[in-house]
């Protein structure tokens, strides 16, 4: 279980932080992620979890699509207002390249020739859709750029995923939003602190989100406002998959049955298999 904590500083800076190791390990297990895929997807899941906490209603829903035309392919991550995140990735086993500084080349694997898109569905007629260019493919910078460009929200984002072979040993993220009217001396301090926030995965190694906020922002007397649990959980169900099978059309479904004996649909987000035999397909098309 991962825990997200929020705090406010000087009534004008909102800090959200999450320790997300369990979320990343669940993603690694489901998708059999290579290290660089785990880093890219883990960072995206961590940020989506932070964003999901902003929703007022449990049913509110966001989808983040990172598509940089790199070896990993498109990464899609969803989060709801009830503390659930999930994700899928086109090429989970993309080769891991280590840069000369010892860090994984996440930007190279994600690619930089593409976009970051956020779709927010809060029950209105139309979902909100925002998009921006990827700036580095390293995810955190791309989100910061997205918020500035697409939502006119100045903020700092720092995300980290620490790995040992195919296990996440520590992960987390901090999202700092500057509200209108923030005093300039506070802004200067926050910018200096954010600049010093490096190696995020180590910061969360054995520390909670609240401890990380205190460690960095303690001098600004943060007021902790809320804390919540977040986990990797898929919301697929038979009814949704029925719709997918129906969308094949009767002819196509019958062709698959004739060839394979059954129709098997695997959820891209959690790996759960749904199997339809001839009887159940007949029922769907009645
Ligand atoms: Zn699922």
């Amino acid at each position: 279980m991962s825990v997200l904590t929020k705090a406010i500083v000087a009534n004008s800076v909102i800090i959200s932080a999450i320790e997300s190791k369990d979320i990343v390990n669940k993603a690694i297990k489901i998708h059999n992620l290579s290290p660089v895929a785990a880093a890219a997807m883990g960072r995206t899941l961590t940020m989506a979890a932070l964003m999901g906490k902003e929703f007022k209603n449990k049913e509110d829903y966001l989808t983040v699509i990172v598509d940089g035309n790199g070896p990993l392919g498109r990464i899609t991550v969803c989060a709801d207002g009830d503390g659930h995140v999930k994700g899928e990735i086109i090429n989970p086993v993309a080769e891991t390249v280590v840069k000369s500084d010892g860090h994984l080349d996440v930007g190279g694997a994600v690619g930089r020739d593409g976009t970051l898109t956020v779709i927010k569905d809060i029950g209105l007629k139309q979902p909100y859709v925002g998009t921006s260019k990827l700036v580095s493919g390293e995810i955190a910078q791309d989100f910061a750029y997205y918020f500035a460009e697409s939502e006119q929200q100045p903020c700092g984002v720092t995300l980290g995923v620490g790995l040992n072979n195919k296990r996440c040993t520590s992960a987390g993220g901090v999202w700092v939003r500057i509200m209108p009217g923030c005093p300039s001396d506070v802004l200067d301090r926050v910018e200096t602190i954010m600049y010093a926030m490096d190696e995020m995965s180590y910061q969360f190694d054995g520390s909670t989100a609240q401890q990380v906020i205190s460690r960095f922002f303690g001098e600004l007397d943060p007021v902790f406002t809320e804390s919540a649990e977040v986990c990797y959980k898929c919301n697929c169900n038979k009814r949704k998959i029925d719709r997918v099978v129906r969308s094949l059309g009767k002819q196509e479904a019958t062709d698959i049955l004739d060839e394979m004996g059954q129709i098997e649909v695997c959820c891209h987000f959690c790996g759960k298999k749904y199997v339809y035999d001839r009887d159940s397909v007949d029922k769907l098309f009645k």
Side-chain angles (χ1 to χ4, degrees):
M1 186 64 73
S2 293
V3 175
L4 183 157
T5 300
K6 282 176 74 176
I8 189 159
V9 159
N11 278 321
S12 55
V13 180
I14 299 170
I15 304 161
S16 307
I18 183 171
E19 182 283 302
S20 56
K21 179 178 74 177
D22 288 355
I23 291 171
V24 180
N25 272 324
K26 185 90 184 268
I28 292 172
K29 197 173 159 202
I30 290 170
H31 300 283
N32 189 28
L33 301 171
S34 69
V36 79
M41 195 173 186
R43 291 177 192 179
T44 313
L45 284 163
T46 299
M47 190 62 216
L50 291 167
M51 292 166 72
K53 188 66 205 131
E54 297 309 301
F55 286 136
K56 288 195 178 69
N57 304 307
K58 285 180 181 179
E59 305 77 34
D60 293 348
Y61 204 80
L62 69 86
T63 304
V64 172
I65 301 163
V66 178
D67 196 355
N69 284 298
L72 288 172
R74 191 181 65 245
I75 300 168
T76 306
V77 164
C78 307
D80 66 17
D82 200 21
H84 305 130
V85 290
K86 63 176 186 178
E88 69 155 330
I89 183 165
I90 298 293
N91 183 13
V93 294
E95 195 190 347
T96 300
V97 175
V98 180
K99 294 187 285 191
S100 57
D101 65 3
H103 289 104
L104 303 184
D105 186 9
V106 177
V110 169
R112 298 168 184 93
D113 178 23
T115 52
L116 189 162
T117 302
V118 175
I119 303 157
K120 290 182 196 170
D121 188 349
I122 54 167
L124 304 175
K125 260 186 193 159
Q126 295 285 335
Y128 163 87
V129 183
T131 191
S132 66
K133 280 195 321 190
L134 291 176
V135 286
S136 72
E138 295 280 338
I139 310 294
Q141 275 175 287
D142 301 301
F143 271 107
Y145 184 76
Y146 162 81
F147 286 117
E149 285 294 304
S150 193
E151 300 194 12
Q152 284 77 48
Q153 170 62 66
C155 66
V157 178
T158 168
L159 305 164
V161 172
L163 296 157
N164 184 359
N165 278 322
K166 294 201 83 175
R167 264 201 77 73
C168 173
T169 50
S170 60
V174 180
W175 180 26
V176 177
R177 279 162 291 163
I178 312 294
M179 296 296 134
C182 178
S184 61
D185 58 326
V186 174
L187 182 60
D188 285 350
R189 279 308 304 151
V190 169
E191 281 180 347
T192 308
I193 292 167
M194 287 299 293
Y195 194 71
M197 292 180 89
D198 203 8
E199 304 289 350
M200 224 43 224
S201 60
Y202 295 110
Q203 297 298 341
F204 282 94
D205 197 355
S207 296
T208 63
Q210 180 160 352
Q211 285 166 334
V212 171
I213 292 176
S214 296
R215 187 179 305 147
F216 284 98
F217 296 93
E219 60 175 287
L220 294 168
D221 297 325
V223 176
F224 291 95
T225 52
E226 57 183 308
S227 182
E229 291 178 345
V230 183
C231 65
Y232 189 113
K233 190 176 174 206
C234 188
N235 57 346
C236 66
N237 56 43
K238 175 126 186 346
R239 207 160 40 95
K240 285 185 187 175
I241 307 297
D242 282 354
R243 274 206 298 272
V244 174
V245 175
R246 245 187 243 115
S247 72
L248 291 171
K250 194 171 182 181
Q251 188 57 51
E252 172 94 24
T254 308
D255 289 350
I256 297 172
L257 277 173
D258 289 345
E259 196 182 331
M260 314 291 288
Q262 61 183 29
I263 297 176
E264 202 177 285
V265 182
C266 184
C267 174
H268 290 296
F269 290 97
C270 69
K272 188 171 173 185
K273 274 191 189 132
Y274 294 82
V275 178
Y276 295 79
D277 60 12
R278 200 169 290 273
D279 276 356
S280 48
V281 172
D282 283 347
K283 264 184 212 150
L284 281 183
F285 287 100
K286 232 176 202 167

